[in-house]
Amino acid sequence: MNRATATAHSNIALAKYWGKADRELNLPAVPSLSMTLDAMSTTTTVVFDDAFESDVVVLNGHEALGSARQRVCAVLDRVRQLAGRRQYASVSSSNNFPTAAGLASSASGFAALALAARAAAGLPDDPHAASSMARQASASAARSVFGGYVALDLGAHSARKVVGALHFPLSLVVAVTREGAKETGSTDGMEHTRATSPYYASWVASAPPICDQVEQAIVSRDLERLGPLVEHSALLMHASMLGANPAITYFSPASIAAIEAVKKLRQAGTLAYFTMDAGPHVKVICTPADTTRVAATLRSTPGVLRTIECKLGPDATVTREGGVES
Ligand code: 2P0
């Protein structure tokens, strides 16, 4: 028996990924840059054993079937191929945050899976190889292998750590605006955008210089420069979706209200900036000192159900509890 357990943290993109250059390899059409979050993580244990008669995947205590199981088995198949193994695996994965809220779980989930499966199969400890494997399952997962600020450069197979958490310790407050799964999954949404939106080409052309400037603002620890770039990246991404036919709309009245609340905070002198992903929740970056005020403002905004306060998270970790190599 060969067993390993990995923990990876979720991430939020400050420069967004939306669209694929290569669907087969799952290579993004734009570069992206994210912050890894301390408050949301996935822990996954993988065991390879001769006694197993099929792969069994348990996600948050429930056996996964259908496409959810298939995505996990595709990662296991690649690991088996690389390690020259034929044993089936058991995978047990749990999130420390509710997946039903539509907050990203594939990023931390596939990062933890890639790390645990590689270690359980006896493959070398190689975070970049694990990041590349995670990317093939879900591109944002490539970034969750690393802590702090992390880039997935255009054409890159694995993510790159830009700077660690201590370099520029920002906070992120999630305004949860709905409990329940999102309507359009990211993979389908970005493909529909590419195929039908006249704004998709502009998005793909605009994203690289914004991502470069986001990186420079982080390296120079400049929140006043970073914030407007983060908002611009998110809104250009959503504009490309609004131009799809039919449109993909992730905004709810509460999302708009939260965005307006952030603008008011700024007018009153608080450096707070919003971003949004493939769901109606609004995520706000600010300094650690302003976190409590920003969270309280968001909680008093109509339609905001609750807030989650996050700081920057660490590198993913993996522990191998090996038996005999086979
Ligand atoms: C991001 N998102 O950069 C962007 C912003 C959502 C909006 O990455 O198709 O689950 O599995 O590679 O990574 C969510 O999409 O997509 C995502 P696939 P993924 O965080």
Side-chain angles (χ1 to χ4, degrees):
M1 185 177 84
N2 292 279
R3 170 199 293 262
T5 297
T7 297
H9 291 76
S10 188
N11 72 75
I12 295 293
L14 302 178
K16 300 297 187 191
Y17 149 56
W18 194 255
K20 297 175 195 294
D22 185 321
R23 287 179 73 186
E24 204 57 44
L25 295 174
N26 202 32
L27 287 169
V30 295
S32 59
L33 197 157
S34 57
M35 59 191 285
T36 299
L37 305 177
D38 66 344
M40 296 191 233
S41 66
T42 304
T43 296
T44 301
T45 298
V46 177
V47 181
F48 286 101
D49 194 308
D50 289 327
F52 296 154
E53 291 176 358
S54 67
D55 291 326
V56 175
V57 179
V58 177
L59 302 178
N60 293 312
H62 301 285
E63 184 168 359
L65 301 167
S67 64
R69 178 178 179 277
Q70 257 327 104
R71 286 181 81 184
V72 172
C73 290
V75 175
L76 296 172
D77 285 343
R78 275 198 289 279
V79 167
R80 277 187 281 256
Q81 197 183 11
L82 281 171
R85 281 174 181 263
R86 301 170 63 139
Q87 296 150 316
Y88 288 112
S90 90
V91 175
S92 174
S93 186
S94 55
N95 295 324
N96 76 342
F97 57 96
T99 26
L103 290 161
S105 63
S106 68
S108 52
F110 284 109
L113 174 66
L115 284 158
R118 287 177 57 88
L123 288 171
D125 180 15
D126 180 345
H128 286 97
S131 173
S132 177
M133 186 171 274
R135 175 196 46 75
Q136 279 179 269
S138 193
S140 56
R143 304 186 309 237
S144 274
V145 170
F146 302 103
Y149 296 93
V150 185
L152 182 56
D153 296 320
L154 190 58
H157 285 235
S158 64
R160 162 177 68 88
K161 187 180 220 172
V162 175
V163 284
L166 296 177
H167 180 84
F168 188 31
L170 290 181
S171 294
L172 181 131
V173 182
V174 182
V176 177
T177 58
R178 189 182 62 199
E179 309 286 1
K182 61 193 176 191
E183 310 98 25
T184 308
S186 298
T187 307
D188 291 344
M190 56 183 84
E191 181 51 22
H192 177 64
T193 307
R194 185 197 62 75
T196 67
S197 175
Y199 301 156
Y200 179 72
S202 317
W203 156 246
V204 169
S206 316
I210 294 173
C211 192
D212 276 352
Q213 291 169 59
V214 163
E215 179 163 348
Q216 288 163 22
I218 288 166
V219 170
S220 57
R221 304 182 180 95
D222 188 344
L223 180 55
E224 268 183 284
R225 182 168 172 221
L226 175 65
L229 292 163
V230 168
E231 294 188 351
H232 195 42
S233 173
L235 291 174
L236 284 177
M237 177 186 77
H238 283 281
S240 77
M241 301 182 205
L242 292 173
N245 190 11
I248 301 168
T249 52
Y250 287 115
F251 294 89
S252 69
S255 320
I256 302 288
I259 287 170
E260 292 306 317
V262 170
K263 288 188 191 165
K264 276 213 182 102
L265 271 169
R266 246 185 356 250
Q267 282 160 11
T270 301
L271 295 183
Y273 303 89
F274 65 83
T275 187
M276 266 180 71
D277 295 292
H281 314 299
V282 175
K283 291 109 181 196
V284 182
I285 55 167
C286 60
T287 64
D290 286 333
T291 311
T292 306
R293 180 173 346 136
V294 168
T297 301
L298 290 169
R299 277 197 302 277
S300 67
T301 301
V304 173
L305 305 175
R306 60 194 171 92
T307 53
I308 306 170
E309 294 175 29
C310 307
K311 293 194 173 62
L312 283 149
D315 289 347
T317 53
V318 60
T319 321
R320 180 157 187 261
E321 310 137 54
V324 180
E325 294 289 325
S326 58

